[in-house]
Every structure is written in C-alpha cells, then in structure tokens.
C-alpha cells in the first residue's frame, strides 16, 4: 500500500486525531492478514486431508486467526464508527442533548473496555496453564487478544470523547438525504 | 433480585443502551455485565464467555460467505449477472424492478450477505432506475426487500449461525431456505409487475443476446454448484465450501473476468476482514447474553408464558413465536437475536414436539422480514443511505411489500412438507430420518 492514509476512513474526521491514523491503518492491515491467513489455513486443511496426510494443528491456527480477526476488527470498527447500531436517532439530534448522549454512550463503552482489559488479562494469565490439543498451543495465544482489543477500544473511545468535546459530535454525514458512497 | 427481575433489567439495559446509540455489541456486553453483578457469577467468567461465543469452527463459514459477497461486489463480476437478468426479464412491465429481484435471486445463491447485494445494486441499477423515473423510495424499498433473499437462498449466514448455536444441520437449513427465498422473489416480481412503477418498456432481448449474457455469467454461476454440491456430496463442511468458493473467485473468476482487479485484492481482504468482525462482535456479546438468559432460566420462564397460551400445541407455539420474532426483528439484528433466543427456541421446539429444522426455517424467514421493518431494518437502512433517500420515505414505500413477506412466513409455517421437501430428498438425516436397518433408504418420522 503506497499511502497508508488511503486506509483511513474520513467519515467523522472531527472525532479523530491524526496521531492515531497509523494505528487504524495497522488494524485494517491486520484484519486483512487475519482473514487471508485463516482462508489459507482452511485451504491447506482441505488439501492435506484430501492427500491423506492431514495437519491437525491447522484447525487451531485457523481458529486463532479467526478469533484475533474478530477482536482486531472490533477495535478498528470502534475508531471508524463502523459497528452495528440499533438506531440513528442520536444522529438526528443536535446541540446539548446530542453532546450529552454521545458522551454517555462513550462512557458506557469505556467501562466495557476497562472490564475487557482487567478481566481479559486475568483470563489470559490463567490460560497460560491450559493448552489446545494436539498442537499444545497455550490458550493464552487465543485469549490475549481480548485485553489487547480492550486497550485499543479504550484509546479510540477516549479519542472520540475528547475530540467530540472539543469539536462537537455532529458531522455532515449525519444528514440522510445524501447518497452515501458505496465501498 | 429475582431471576425474572435480572432478566428484565438486562434486556431493558441492552435496549436502552442500544437505542441511545451504543454499538450493539457493547450494549449487549454492558447489559450482561450489569446483570452479572446481581448473580454469583464472576465478571471474569462472563468476559471469558465473550471469547467462547466465537470460538467455534462452524462460525468460520460467516467470513467466507461475506468474503465471497465482497469479492463479487467489488470486482464487478456481478454486473455480468445483472446483464443476464436484463436479457431475461428486462422487457417485462417494471423491467428494472424485475431485474433487481432476479439478480438478487442469482446473487443470493453466491453470497450470504444482503449488504453486498445492496451495495452492488445501489452502485449499478439504482442509478438507471433514477434515470427511468422510478422514485428513489421505491428503489430503496425494492433493493432492500430483494436483498433479504441472501439470508434464505443458500449460502445463508443466518442459517450458519442458527445451525451452529442450535445444533441443527446447516446443510438442511440451506436447503429448507430455498422455498421461502424463491417465494419472496416471485412475490416481489408479481408486485412489481402489477402494482410497481412501469419504468421504460423495452423489447424482449433476442435469443442470441440471452445466450451471450448466459455465457458471460456461466463462470460466476458455478459458485452455487461448488457450495451446495460440496456440502451435499459430503466433500466439504459449510466452512470449507465457503473457502472453496472464495478460492474459486480468487484463482479463476477474477483473473479470467477482471484481471485488473487483482491489484485491489489486498483492499478487498482488509474490508472483508473488518466486515466479518462486525456481526461476530455482536455474536460474542449475544452469546454471553444468551448464556446469562439460560443461567437465569429464561427459557423456562418464557416457555411457561407461551405454553400458558398455547399448551403443547405445536402450531400455536410456532404462531406465537412468529409474533414474538416479528417484534424482536424490528428491534434487534437477526444474528444476535438468534443467539440470545436460542435456548428459548430449543425449549419450545421440545415442548411443542416440532421439527428443529422446520422451526429454524420459520425463525429465519421471520427474522429476514425484520431486515426491512423499522426502527431497525438493517437492509432498508443501508439501501436508503446508498440510494440517497430518507429512511422514513423508504419505509412507507416498503409497506405493500410487507404482504409478500407475511404471506411467505404463513406458507412456511403452514406447509412444512413443501418447505422440508428438499432437505428430505438430499439430506434426510437433517429432518430426523434415519437409515433403514436393511441398509436401503431412510425411515422418516411423520
């Protein structure tokens, strides 16, 4: 990728610091790496099984990339505001009510992120003593992504909170009569 | 606090946070974590449950079916199928509306993603529909309604999630989804023909043009054969079939039909990687939510209410569940809804002595309807955004199309033999049949 900025979503730019753009780009690349790797792993699994010499550990590699991909994507989607939402009511609000609700929403996400970091770290440490058979990969290799994602989600939410406080949460994208670009 | 109280608190918190604008996955997690404080369960084990919720090999099929959809949409290979649809039905009244529906039926056989279908149609036909004078609200309503077929006609992501969490044959759910999927397609075509905008009437395409378009679409249309052929022959699991379809697109389709797109593949993979994490993040939250529902004996409580009305009458239980899921589908995305309610669905399937596969296809068809109903009709939200029309206007134009969905749901509930005919022929075990002791044929329960 010639320019990493091509990977940065410009929607809701006012909620982002330029300094974190490279983190979003790295996470996007990691999303691509994870899905590519588990596609390759499943492919090799089918090939080796068809050849009569299955590599059983491939299934564990597959699930590791899969799980990492989910949590890396969850963190990336937090910065890009790409998550599934139940409603767009907030986007139609303006002024102080909008500011208040947006702040409360992000505080809720911050609390969840803190719990992911704290409890996720405890779980990952506990999992050091557990192994996946037959590859004997420590379970921590899988579960360590939970607190890592928690840290990233915390950072991005804090970024949005501070930027939103300074610049406002409303953006031109919130109008619904414009044709949004199809990716 | 009583178990029922904690259940209600958890549900209200999830809906409250969700409708305030907290992302679905975080709203689910927040609701569960608050509920956990009222139980002896540790926060640590609930956070662990988030990971265990997605630690499933069967769910691996989800990213593959999304990847297939994204690759087909972004590489413009799908436009060949649009051309084929145009030559087949473009001359009918409401020609472009017919093309939207027929293309969606083709595309549904390739991709499990209604969003990819919406993206392809919004980028291509929606602009032509603008030029031909179709109002944008109708265009958005039709594209959204037609895209829902992707969740019924195999491969279907909803079927994968339902099968994985409900321990129901995914191959069986794929086959059982064909009838409701095709019924919705036919219903939308009939509506467009008699009551939709006329559009610009065109001449029927000559046979040579149809043949040329069919040849152009031949390679993409091999994908359903790879997926269903692989699963039905027992060569592949649904996950492996999805991977093989993705490989086929990467190795055969794109190099053969749009070589220039090869440079864009890293970008496609990055977006597909992000895209699959969105429903699965919701799955992680929903699995913790579903676990807590089961722990608090939610299935017994809800089953108690429903059997209070319906007794053990299977048809009545199914009817009440359809009503519940029409409401649920209006407020919650289908994937988390399936996982949250699975313990309750399983309990009621047992109480009503219903076929799990029949129950599965009824629930999926009902939730598919939720993709176009307010306030949370995901397909309609995306389509109205891409087409550039207010969501409210698109909802109003969708109202007559709801009849098609309601009739289809009624058909699926009332005629299980028709719906389950395909799985019974190709995957008899999926409908509860077992091999005859003599070794020839199957014995199926009535």
């Amino acid at each position: 990728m010639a320019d990493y900025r091509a990977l940065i979503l410009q929607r809701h730019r006012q909620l982002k610091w330029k300094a974190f753009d490279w983190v979003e780009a790295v996470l996007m690349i990691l999303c691509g790496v994870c899905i590519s790797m588990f596609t390759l792993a499943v492919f090799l699994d089918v090939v080796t099984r068809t050849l009569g010499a299955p590599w059983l550990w491939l299934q564990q590699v597959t699930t590791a990339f899969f799980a990492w991909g989910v949590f890396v994507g969850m963190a990336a989607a937090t910065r890009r505001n790409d998550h599934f939402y139940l409603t767009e009511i907030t986007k139609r609000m303006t002024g102080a009510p909008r500011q208040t609700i947006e702040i409360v929403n992000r505080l809720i996400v911050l609390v969840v992120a803190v719990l992911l970091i704290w409890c996720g770290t405890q779980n990952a440490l506990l999992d050091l003593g557990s192994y996946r058979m037959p590859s004997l990969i420590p379970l921590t290799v899988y579960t360590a992504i939970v607190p890592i994602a928690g840290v990233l989600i915390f950072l991005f939410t804090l970024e949005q909170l501070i930027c939103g406080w300074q610049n406002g949460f409303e953006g031109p994208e919130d109008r619904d009569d414009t044709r949004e670009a199809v990716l | 606090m009583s178990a029922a109280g904690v259940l209600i608190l958890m549900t209200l918190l999830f809906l409250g946070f969700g409708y305030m604008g907290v992302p679905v996955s975080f709203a689910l997690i927040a609701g569960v974590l608050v509920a956990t404080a009222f139980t002896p369960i540790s926060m640590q084990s609930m956070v662990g449950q988030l990971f265990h919720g997605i630690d499933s090999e069967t769910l691996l099929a989800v990213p593959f079916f999304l990847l297939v959809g994204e690759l087909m949409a972004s590489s413009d290979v799908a436009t060949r199928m649009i051309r084929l649809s145009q030559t087949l039905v473009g001359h009918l009244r409401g020609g472009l509306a017919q093309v939207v529906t027929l293309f969606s039926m083709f595309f549904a056989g390739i991709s499990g993603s209604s969003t990819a279908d919406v993206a392809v149609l919004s980028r291509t036909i929606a602009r032509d529909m603008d030029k031909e004078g179709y109002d944008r609200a109708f265009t958005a309503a039709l594209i959204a309604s037609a895209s829902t077929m992707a969740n019924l006609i195999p491969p279907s992501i909803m079927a994968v999630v339902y099968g994985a969490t409900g321990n129901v044959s995914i191959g069986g759910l794929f086959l059982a989804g064909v009838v409701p999927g095709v019924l919705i397609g036919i219903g939308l075509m009939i509506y467009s023909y008699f009551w939709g905008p006329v559009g610009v009437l065109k001449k029927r395409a000559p046979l040579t043009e149809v043949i040329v378009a069919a040849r152009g679409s031949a390679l993409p249309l091999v994908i359903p054969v790879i997926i269903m052929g692989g699963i039905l022959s027992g060569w592949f699991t649904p996950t492996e079939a999805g991977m093989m379809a993705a490989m086929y697109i990467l190795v055969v389709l794109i190099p053969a039909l749009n070589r220039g797109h090869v440079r864009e593949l890293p970008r496609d993979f990055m977006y597909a990687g992000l895209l699959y994490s969105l429903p699965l993040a919701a799955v992680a939250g929903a699995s913790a939510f579903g676990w807590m529902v089961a722990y608090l004996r939610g299935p017994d409580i809800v089953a108690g209410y429903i059997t209070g009305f319906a007794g053990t009458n299977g048809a009545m239980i199914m009817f009440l569940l359809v009503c519940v899921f029409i409401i649920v589908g209006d407020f919650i995305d289908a994937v988390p809804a399936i996982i949250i309610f699975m313990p309750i669905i399983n309990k009621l399937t047992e109480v009503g002595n219903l076929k799990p596969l029949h129950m599965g296809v009824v629930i999926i068809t009902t939730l598919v309807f939720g993709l176009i109903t307010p306030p949370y009709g995901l397909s309609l939200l995306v389509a109205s955004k891409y087409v550039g029309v207010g969501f409210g206007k698109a909802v109003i134009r969708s109202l007559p199309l709801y009849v098609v969905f309601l009739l289809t749901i009624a058909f699926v509930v009332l005629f299980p033999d028709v719906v389950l005919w395909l799985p019974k022929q190709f995957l008899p075990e999926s409908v509860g049949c077992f091999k005859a002791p003599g070794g020839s044929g199957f014995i199926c329960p009535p």
Side-chain angles (χ1 to χ4, degrees):
Chain A
M1 191 63 59
D3 186 354
Y4 79 89
R5 279 170 297 191
L7 296 175
I8 312 301
L9 190 68
Q10 296 305 318
R11 201 176 61 205
H12 296 294
R13 184 69 244 188
Q14 83 280 9
L15 297 179
K16 292 176 171 183
W17 285 322
K18 279 217 161 80
F20 278 2
D21 280 359
W22 67 272
V23 186
E24 184 180 330
V26 168
L27 289 177
M28 287 302 289
I29 293 167
L30 280 176
C31 284
V33 168
C34 286
I35 195 169
S36 311
M37 292 310 288
F38 72 69
T39 304
L40 184 66
V42 175
F43 178 69
L44 290 175
D45 190 24
V46 172
V47 170
T48 55
R49 190 186 65 207
T50 310
L51 293 175
W55 297 346
L56 296 176
W57 52 268
L58 272 173
Q59 288 178 0
Q60 270 123 49
V61 172
T62 308
T63 44
F65 276 113
F66 174 65
W68 272 69
V70 172
F71 284 94
V72 167
M74 198 171 168
T78 303
R79 185 161 205 262
R80 298 164 63 91
N81 257 331
D82 265 345
H83 275 288
F84 288 159
Y85 292 88
L86 283 186
T87 178
E88 302 220 322
I89 293 168
T90 322
K91 283 187 183 170
R92 300 215 178 89
M93 297 168 82
T94 52
R98 166 85 180 252
Q99 186 95 349
T100 311
I101 289 183
E102 294 276 12
I103 288 171
V104 171
N105 288 347
R106 280 167 180 82
L107 288 175
I108 292 166
V109 177
L110 273 184
V111 172
V112 171
V114 168
L115 284 166
L116 288 180
I117 297 167
W118 177 250
C119 300
T121 307
Q122 304 288 316
N123 283 337
L125 291 173
L126 207 67
D127 288 338
L128 279 170
S130 308
Y131 301 89
R132 281 250 159 123
M133 297 297 284
S135 57
L136 293 178
I137 299 173
L139 208 53
T140 306
V141 170
Y142 296 79
T143 53
I145 186 59
V146 177
I148 294 172
V151 170
L152 291 165
I153 291 165
F154 185 89
L155 274 181
F156 296 148
T157 310
L158 200 62
E159 176 193 22
Q160 289 170 6
L161 208 50
I162 295 169
C163 292
W165 181 265
Q166 289 170 340
N167 311 323
F169 289 92
E170 293 157 46
E173 307 85 357
D174 297 343
R175 287 171 50 217
D176 67 3
D177 57 345
T178 47
R179 203 190 268 264
E180 188 163 301
V182 182
L183 280 176
Chain B
M1 199 186 282
S2 69
V6 179
L7 260 178
I8 292 167
L9 173 74
M10 185 168 76
T11 309
L12 288 179
L13 283 175
F14 158 55
L15 289 174
F17 292 155
Y19 278 95
M20 267 168 58
V22 176
V24 171
S25 45
F26 293 114
L28 282 163
I29 298 170
V32 172
L33 292 178
V34 172
T36 306
F38 293 95
T39 66
I41 301 164
S42 69
M43 291 282 178
Q44 207 176 314
S45 62
M46 283 320 293
V47 170
Q49 188 59 37
L50 296 176
F51 179 81
H52 296 307
I54 54 144
D55 189 22
S56 148
E57 262 187 55
T58 321
L59 287 176
L60 265 166
V62 174
F64 289 129
F65 293 136
L66 280 171
L67 179 63
V68 167
E70 281 311 297
L71 289 172
M72 289 295 289
S74 70
S75 64
D76 274 342
V77 171
T79 50
R80 287 164 178 264
M81 285 146 59
I82 294 177
R83 272 199 290 279
L84 175 62
S85 310
Q86 272 167 338
T87 60
L88 291 173
V89 293
H91 61 282
L92 297 176
R93 187 182 181 279
L96 286 180
Q98 308 289 357
V99 172
V100 163
T101 310
L102 187 63
F103 166 78
S104 295
M105 286 166 92
F106 286 145
F107 197 73
I110 290 172
S111 157
S113 157
S114 43
T115 322
D117 185 66
V118 171
V120 172
L121 289 169
S122 306
R123 196 167 46 200
T124 51
I125 301 183
R127 290 169 198 277
D128 295 337
M129 289 176 88
D130 257 7
K131 285 178 204 154
E132 288 197 11
Y134 290 83
D135 69 289
R136 282 188 180 183
F138 174 77
T139 304
L142 184 71
I143 288 177
S145 304
S147 76
T148 61
M149 286 186 282
N151 290 293
L152 285 165
I153 295 176
S156 148
I157 286 168
M158 278 192 205
V160 171
V161 173
Y162 192 99
T165 50
N167 205 17
V168 180
S169 159
I170 295 173
L173 285 169
F174 278 180
L175 289 172
V178 171
V179 170
V182 171
L183 279 178
I184 287 174
I186 293 171
L188 292 176
M189 290 180 91
I190 292 173
Y191 175 82
S192 302
Y193 189 86
F194 289 106
W195 298 285
V198 183
V200 175
L201 289 172
K202 301 177 194 85
K203 279 187 183 166
R204 181 192 285 269
L207 189 62
T208 48
E209 210 174 297
V210 179
I211 292 169
V212 169
R215 273 176 53 190
S217 302
L219 282 176
L221 289 175
V222 170
I223 295 173
V225 180
I226 294 175
I227 294 173
M228 286 317 292
I231 294 172
L232 295 179
S233 64
W235 281 7
F236 307 130
T237 62
T239 303
E240 292 164 353
M243 179 277 300
M244 290 308 285
M247 282 291 181
Y248 172 77
I249 297 173
L250 289 171
V251 178
V252 179
L253 223 53
I254 292 178
L257 302 180
N258 188 0
R259 193 166 295 184
H261 189 74
V262 172
R263 278 169 301 173
E264 301 292 325
L265 287 178
R267 193 198 67 136
D268 285 354
F269 269 84
M270 282 185 255
Y271 283 114
L274 178 73
L275 209 63
Y276 93 82
S277 74
L278 305 180
L280 285 162
V283 165
S287 68
F289 200 100
W291 190 92
M292 185 58 94
V293 168
Y295 173 81
L296 295 168
R297 301 208 167 276
D300 293 336
I301 296 170
V302 178
Y305 286 133
I306 289 189
T307 50
F309 282 108
T312 53
N313 181 332
M316 194 63 188
I317 287 176
M318 203 169 256
F319 172 74
L320 288 175
L321 266 183
V322 165
C323 295
V324 168
F325 275 90
I326 284 178
I327 298 166
V328 167
D330 292 343
F331 293 93
I332 310 176
D333 187 40
V335 167
I338 288 170
I339 296 167
I340 291 169
F341 287 92
M342 190 50 78
I344 294 168
I345 296 169
N346 280 341
K347 178 84 187 176
L348 288 169
T349 306
E350 196 185 306
V351 170
N353 198 21
L354 295 159
K355 287 194 174 90
L357 192 65
H358 185 212
M359 180 65 103
V361 74
V362 168
I363 298 292
I364 291 172
T365 311
T366 310
L367 285 172
V368 154
F369 179 43
L371 290 171
I372 56 163
T373 51
Y376 183 67
L378 187 62
S379 286
L380 197 58
L381 275 166
V382 176
S384 55
K385 246 189 187 154
Y386 285 167
V387 172
V389 66
F391 181 62
K393 287 178 192 162
V395 168
I396 291 169
R397 284 302 254 137
S398 300
L399 291 176
L401 302 178
Y402 289 178
V403 176
V404 172
F405 285 82
L406 292 172
L407 287 175
T408 304
I409 293 168
F411 185 92
V412 175
V413 172
L414 296 173
F415 300 101
D417 290 341
V418 180
V419 176
L420 300 183
W421 185 82
L422 273 175
K424 203 169 179 177
Q425 298 309 309
F426 294 101
L427 286 172
E429 288 100 333
S430 69
V431 283
C433 303
F434 52 90
K435 277 195 173 150
S440 63
F442 284 84
I443 298 172
C444 297

PDB file of all heavy atoms in Angstrom, chain B residues 2-17:
ATOM      1  N   SER B   2     -34.918 -11.125  41.928  1.00  0.00           N
ATOM      2  CA  SER B   2     -35.307 -12.431  41.379  1.00  0.00           C
ATOM      3  C   SER B   2     -34.710 -12.621  39.981  1.00  0.00           C
ATOM      4  O   SER B   2     -34.295 -11.648  39.329  1.00  0.00           O
ATOM      5  CB  SER B   2     -36.833 -12.522  41.282  1.00  0.00           C
ATOM      6  OG  SER B   2     -37.275 -11.628  40.284  1.00  0.00           O
ATOM      7  N   ALA B   3     -34.694 -13.895  39.539  1.00  0.00           N
ATOM      8  CA  ALA B   3     -34.124 -14.193  38.211  1.00  0.00           C
ATOM      9  C   ALA B   3     -34.879 -13.433  37.122  1.00  0.00           C
ATOM     10  O   ALA B   3     -34.263 -12.858  36.212  1.00  0.00           O
ATOM     11  CB  ALA B   3     -34.186 -15.695  37.961  1.00  0.00           C
ATOM     12  N   ALA B   4     -36.218 -13.414  37.243  1.00  0.00           N
ATOM     13  CA  ALA B   4     -37.012 -12.704  36.227  1.00  0.00           C
ATOM     14  C   ALA B   4     -36.678 -11.218  36.226  1.00  0.00           C
ATOM     15  O   ALA B   4     -36.578 -10.582  35.168  1.00  0.00           O
ATOM     16  CB  ALA B   4     -38.502 -12.921  36.496  1.00  0.00           C
ATOM     17  N   GLY B   5     -36.448 -10.667  37.434  1.00  0.00           N
ATOM     18  CA  GLY B   5     -36.090  -9.251  37.551  1.00  0.00           C
ATOM     19  C   GLY B   5     -34.765  -8.951  36.874  1.00  0.00           C
ATOM     20  O   GLY B   5     -34.636  -7.952  36.151  1.00  0.00           O
ATOM     21  N   VAL B   6     -33.791  -9.825  37.112  1.00  0.00           N
ATOM     22  CA  VAL B   6     -32.472  -9.621  36.489  1.00  0.00           C
ATOM     23  C   VAL B   6     -32.589  -9.717  34.962  1.00  0.00           C
ATOM     24  O   VAL B   6     -31.988  -8.931  34.221  1.00  0.00           O
ATOM     25  CB  VAL B   6     -31.443 -10.651  37.020  1.00  0.00           C
ATOM     26  CG1 VAL B   6     -30.089 -10.462  36.359  1.00  0.00           C
ATOM     27  CG2 VAL B   6     -31.291 -10.538  38.523  1.00  0.00           C
ATOM     28  N   LEU B   7     -33.396 -10.693  34.507  1.00  0.00           N
ATOM     29  CA  LEU B   7     -33.603 -10.861  33.055  1.00  0.00           C
ATOM     30  C   LEU B   7     -34.188  -9.595  32.437  1.00  0.00           C
ATOM     31  O   LEU B   7     -33.715  -9.116  31.397  1.00  0.00           O
ATOM     32  CB  LEU B   7     -34.592 -11.996  32.810  1.00  0.00           C
ATOM     33  CG  LEU B   7     -34.048 -13.364  32.429  1.00  0.00           C
ATOM     34  CD1 LEU B   7     -35.183 -14.350  32.293  1.00  0.00           C
ATOM     35  CD2 LEU B   7     -33.238 -13.300  31.156  1.00  0.00           C
ATOM     36  N   ILE B   8     -35.206  -9.067  33.114  1.00  0.00           N
ATOM     37  CA  ILE B   8     -35.860  -7.857  32.586  1.00  0.00           C
ATOM     38  C   ILE B   8     -34.888  -6.685  32.605  1.00  0.00           C
ATOM     39  O   ILE B   8     -34.776  -5.936  31.627  1.00  0.00           O
ATOM     40  CB  ILE B   8     -37.140  -7.542  33.406  1.00  0.00           C
ATOM     41  CG1 ILE B   8     -38.191  -8.627  33.142  1.00  0.00           C
ATOM     42  CG2 ILE B   8     -37.711  -6.167  33.056  1.00  0.00           C
ATOM     43  CD1 ILE B   8     -39.362  -8.611  34.091  1.00  0.00           C
ATOM     44  N   LEU B   9     -34.132  -6.554  33.713  1.00  0.00           N
ATOM     45  CA  LEU B   9     -33.161  -5.454  33.826  1.00  0.00           C
ATOM     46  C   LEU B   9     -32.124  -5.544  32.693  1.00  0.00           C
ATOM     47  O   LEU B   9     -31.838  -4.544  32.010  1.00  0.00           O
ATOM     48  CB  LEU B   9     -32.448  -5.524  35.184  1.00  0.00           C
ATOM     49  CG  LEU B   9     -31.301  -4.536  35.368  1.00  0.00           C
ATOM     50  CD1 LEU B   9     -31.840  -3.120  35.570  1.00  0.00           C
ATOM     51  CD2 LEU B   9     -30.417  -4.912  36.565  1.00  0.00           C
ATOM     52  N   MET B  10     -31.618  -6.764  32.473  1.00  0.00           N
ATOM     53  CA  MET B  10     -30.583  -6.967  31.449  1.00  0.00           C
ATOM     54  C   MET B  10     -31.122  -6.596  30.061  1.00  0.00           C
ATOM     55  O   MET B  10     -30.453  -5.913  29.277  1.00  0.00           O
ATOM     56  CB  MET B  10     -30.157  -8.447  31.482  1.00  0.00           C
ATOM     57  CG  MET B  10     -29.022  -8.800  30.578  1.00  0.00           C
ATOM     58  SD  MET B  10     -28.385 -10.455  30.938  1.00  0.00           S
ATOM     59  CE  MET B  10     -29.636 -11.493  30.202  1.00  0.00           C
ATOM     60  N   THR B  11     -32.350  -7.022  29.787  1.00  0.00           N
ATOM     61  CA  THR B  11     -32.948  -6.741  28.479  1.00  0.00           C
ATOM     62  C   THR B  11     -33.198  -5.249  28.304  1.00  0.00           C
ATOM     63  O   THR B  11     -32.897  -4.676  27.246  1.00  0.00           O
ATOM     64  CB  THR B  11     -34.285  -7.506  28.341  1.00  0.00           C
ATOM     65  OG1 THR B  11     -34.038  -8.865  28.679  1.00  0.00           O
ATOM     66  CG2 THR B  11     -34.839  -7.437  26.940  1.00  0.00           C
ATOM     67  N   LEU B  12     -33.726  -4.622  29.362  1.00  0.00           N
ATOM     68  CA  LEU B  12     -34.004  -3.178  29.267  1.00  0.00           C
ATOM     69  C   LEU B  12     -32.718  -2.381  29.091  1.00  0.00           C
ATOM     70  O   LEU B  12     -32.671  -1.418  28.321  1.00  0.00           O
ATOM     71  CB  LEU B  12     -34.761  -2.699  30.511  1.00  0.00           C
ATOM     72  CG  LEU B  12     -36.223  -3.154  30.618  1.00  0.00           C
ATOM     73  CD1 LEU B  12     -36.855  -2.638  31.909  1.00  0.00           C
ATOM     74  CD2 LEU B  12     -37.032  -2.681  29.408  1.00  0.00           C
ATOM     75  N   LEU B  13     -31.660  -2.792  29.809  1.00  0.00           N
ATOM     76  CA  LEU B  13     -30.386  -2.084  29.676  1.00  0.00           C
ATOM     77  C   LEU B  13     -29.850  -2.203  28.254  1.00  0.00           C
ATOM     78  O   LEU B  13     -29.406  -1.229  27.655  1.00  0.00           O
ATOM     79  CB  LEU B  13     -29.352  -2.636  30.664  1.00  0.00           C
ATOM     80  CG  LEU B  13     -29.519  -2.182  32.109  1.00  0.00           C
ATOM     81  CD1 LEU B  13     -28.514  -2.887  33.009  1.00  0.00           C
ATOM     82  CD2 LEU B  13     -29.326  -0.673  32.225  1.00  0.00           C
ATOM     83  N   PHE B  14     -29.924  -3.425  27.705  1.00  0.00           N
ATOM     84  CA  PHE B  14     -29.439  -3.630  26.335  1.00  0.00           C
ATOM     85  C   PHE B  14     -30.210  -2.740  25.362  1.00  0.00           C
ATOM     86  O   PHE B  14     -29.621  -2.012  24.548  1.00  0.00           O
ATOM     87  CB  PHE B  14     -29.556  -5.108  25.955  1.00  0.00           C
ATOM     88  CG  PHE B  14     -29.584  -5.361  24.476  1.00  0.00           C
ATOM     89  CD1 PHE B  14     -28.570  -4.892  23.654  1.00  0.00           C
ATOM     90  CD2 PHE B  14     -30.638  -6.048  23.879  1.00  0.00           C
ATOM     91  CE1 PHE B  14     -28.603  -5.094  22.282  1.00  0.00           C
ATOM     92  CE2 PHE B  14     -30.672  -6.258  22.516  1.00  0.00           C
ATOM     93  CZ  PHE B  14     -29.654  -5.774  21.714  1.00  0.00           C
ATOM     94  N   LEU B  15     -31.537  -2.797  25.460  1.00  0.00           N
ATOM     95  CA  LEU B  15     -32.347  -1.993  24.525  1.00  0.00           C
ATOM     96  C   LEU B  15     -32.142  -0.498  24.766  1.00  0.00           C
ATOM     97  O   LEU B  15     -32.018   0.288  23.823  1.00  0.00           O
ATOM     98  CB  LEU B  15     -33.834  -2.357  24.651  1.00  0.00           C
ATOM     99  CG  LEU B  15     -34.209  -3.742  24.113  1.00  0.00           C
ATOM    100  CD1 LEU B  15     -35.660  -4.062  24.419  1.00  0.00           C
ATOM    101  CD2 LEU B  15     -33.952  -3.844  22.613  1.00  0.00           C
ATOM    102  N   GLY B  16     -32.066  -0.131  26.053  1.00  0.00           N
ATOM    103  CA  GLY B  16     -31.864   1.279  26.396  1.00  0.00           C
ATOM    104  C   GLY B  16     -30.546   1.797  25.853  1.00  0.00           C
ATOM    105  O   GLY B  16     -30.502   2.820  25.151  1.00  0.00           O
ATOM    106  N   PHE B  17     -29.467   1.072  26.143  1.00  0.00           N
ATOM    107  CA  PHE B  17     -28.149   1.483  25.643  1.00  0.00           C
ATOM    108  C   PHE B  17     -28.142   1.487  24.114  1.00  0.00           C
ATOM    109  O   PHE B  17     -27.633   2.404  23.479  1.00  0.00           O
ATOM    110  CB  PHE B  17     -27.048   0.547  26.148  1.00  0.00           C
ATOM    111  CG  PHE B  17     -26.787   0.628  27.635  1.00  0.00           C
ATOM    112  CD1 PHE B  17     -26.230  -0.453  28.324  1.00  0.00           C
ATOM    113  CD2 PHE B  17     -27.080   1.773  28.344  1.00  0.00           C
ATOM    114  CE1 PHE B  17     -25.984  -0.382  29.682  1.00  0.00           C
ATOM    115  CE2 PHE B  17     -26.843   1.850  29.717  1.00  0.00           C
ATOM    116  CZ  PHE B  17     -26.296   0.762  30.385  1.00  0.00           C
TER     117      PHE B  17
END
